[in-house]
Amino acid sequence: MHTGIGEICRNCGAALVGHYCHECGQSSHIHRTLGAWWHDFSHGVLHIEGQVWRTIAFLITRPGELTRRYIAGERRRFLSPLALYLFTVFLLYVTYSILGGFGAMKAPDAREAATEIHAQAQETKGEIAALDRQRATIVANKGDVAAVDAERARLAERYRQLELTSTALGGGAAETGAKAHGEHDNPVITGWASLDAKLTHAIRDPEFLLFKMEANGYKFSWALILLSMPFMGLFFIWKRGVAMFDHAVFVTYSLSFVSLLTVLLILWVKLLHFPGEALLMLAFPVHLFCQTRGAYGLGWLSGLLMTVVLCVMAATVLSLWIIGLLALGLAH
């Protein structure tokens, strides 16, 4: 369906003076065919006209230039950092859902683990009894028992930790005694009853906790950007003319590359069964070095130094993010 010149735009109501509305940009050609629907899908989602492929190509080969040019104002030529990040995270989610992670992560049976740990605790208890007999002999001979007492204290703490872990897993003598007296079967870990109950449940069913962390990881992946921003502002406070927007573009493009790299690693390990995935992981610091130098106009030495700093930052941010996912998994 064509809308002629002189008619109104069916989207905003403005008078048309060409093939595209000068107010909202909508085409005067209105279609209602299945082929046109597929064209809209490929154009709007995949950007087959080249924007997404151009952006990914620059992201892989010239990340610093991509970041700098987008910040400088080339917004139509490249896909926005956030749009690219959402696309790569979705691609990662689909790949992970179909193929899984890098290895089969399966928690051992809680009861079996509890029995094994309890056996270690009983063995430690026997060592403590032997030390007690040795101490009695030393005392009878009026010798120094300081070394024996120190070793006994270490073994006693080990015994306590083993029994606590065994009880949390649902086994052990401590739990048996507690149930015999009608006590609650949750061990005292922190002293906060509700938190102890959640921790005990997580220990006894780690696979369910992992499932909740995976689900929350996809939903809250954007938090990685927010966690990185304060660090970037702090580390580049010396760089004049750099705004927080620039850091946001840098971080989002960098995380997009990490998502694509993770997809490649999963395909490499799970689908292609190739060795050497550890070497592929070296692509991250190399890419970060190239992006940092190009985006912030640094030299080789300063770029290398900031790359080391940003790698430490990335590890810190990832740790904070995982701790947050763990807290969410325990809370719900």
Side-chain angles (χ1 to χ4, degrees):
M1 181 187 300
H2 290 272
T3 302
I5 297 176
E7 298 187 12
I8 65 171
C9 173
R10 294 177 180 267
N11 181 61
C12 68
L16 291 174
V17 293
H19 295 295
Y20 292 91
C21 177
H22 65 282
E23 291 288 343
C24 67
Q26 176 169 289
S27 174
S28 61
H29 176 63
I30 308 299
H31 51 72
R32 293 180 63 184
T33 65
L34 190 58
W37 177 87
W38 173 252
H39 176 270
D40 283 349
F41 174 81
S42 62
H43 177 83
V45 178
L46 301 179
H47 283 263
I48 288 180
E49 78 280 2
Q51 189 184 44
V52 69
W53 309 121
R54 182 187 305 114
T55 306
I56 291 177
F58 269 76
L59 179 66
I60 295 174
T61 61
R62 290 177 283 178
E65 182 180 343
L66 168 65
T67 306
R68 187 178 66 253
R69 289 173 65 173
Y70 186 88
I71 292 172
E74 294 187 43
R75 309 295 167 82
R76 291 288 297 175
R77 183 173 179 81
F78 301 107
L79 195 63
S80 72
L82 188 57
L84 181 63
Y85 180 62
L86 294 176
F87 171 75
T88 55
V89 168
F90 174 74
L91 184 63
L92 173 59
Y93 175 76
V94 172
T95 307
Y96 184 87
S97 299
I98 296 175
L99 299 177
F102 305 111
M105 185 177 294
K106 183 175 178 59
D109 181 79
R111 286 290 177 179
E112 292 181 4
T115 302
E116 182 178 346
I117 293 174
H118 179 60
Q120 295 178 14
Q122 293 305 305
E123 182 180 342
T124 304
K125 187 177 181 180
E127 295 177 8
I128 293 175
L131 278 178
D132 287 340
R133 292 191 294 270
Q134 180 182 350
R135 187 182 190 280
T137 302
I138 295 175
V139 170
N141 295 327
K142 298 182 180 180
D144 187 6
V145 295
V148 175
D149 287 345
E151 179 64 13
R152 189 189 189 285
R154 186 187 69 81
L155 290 176
E157 177 60 21
R158 171 178 167 80
Y159 174 76
R160 189 186 72 83
Q161 293 292 339
L162 289 171
E163 277 295 276
L164 181 64
T165 304
S166 176
T167 304
L169 287 171
E175 185 200 37
T176 304
K179 289 185 175 180
H181 293 85
E183 297 175 8
H184 200 275
D185 63 350
N186 289 327
V188 177
I189 301 176
T190 65
W192 186 357
S194 60
L195 180 58
D196 286 346
K198 293 180 183 298
L199 289 173
T200 302
H201 183 270
I203 293 172
R204 293 177 180 174
D205 192 4
E207 290 184 351
F208 183 60
L209 175 62
L210 180 62
F211 169 77
K212 291 191 290 185
M213 290 179 65
E214 290 175 349
N216 287 328
Y218 175 68
K219 292 187 293 185
F220 293 98
S221 60
W222 51 267
L224 289 168
I225 301 174
L226 298 182
L227 288 172
S228 302
M229 295 302 297
F231 291 101
M232 294 295 295
L234 177 64
F235 295 151
F236 285 96
I237 194 172
W238 56 273
K239 189 70 174 176
R240 300 182 62 180
V242 177
M244 289 300 290
F245 173 84
D246 304 348
H247 299 319
V249 172
F250 178 93
V251 169
T252 311
Y253 273 142
S254 181
L255 288 173
S256 298
F257 175 80
V258 172
S259 298
L260 291 176
L261 179 62
T262 307
V263 170
L264 176 61
L265 285 169
I266 293 176
L267 294 175
W268 190 273
V269 174
K270 304 292 289 187
L271 188 61
L272 302 176
H273 304 289
F274 287 162
E277 60 272 12
L279 292 177
L280 286 177
M281 297 179 66
L282 293 177
F284 171 67
V286 173
H287 182 273
L288 189 61
F289 171 74
C290 295
Q291 186 182 11
T292 303
R293 281 199 68 217
Y296 294 102
L298 304 179
W300 280 90
L301 183 60
S302 57
L304 184 61
L305 176 62
M306 291 308 302
T307 299
V308 173
V309 172
L310 293 182
C311 283
V312 175
M313 181 206 76
T316 303
V317 168
L318 182 61
S319 299
L320 293 174
W321 185 68
I322 292 176
I323 292 173
L325 294 183
L326 179 61
L328 286 174
L330 292 173
H332 300 286

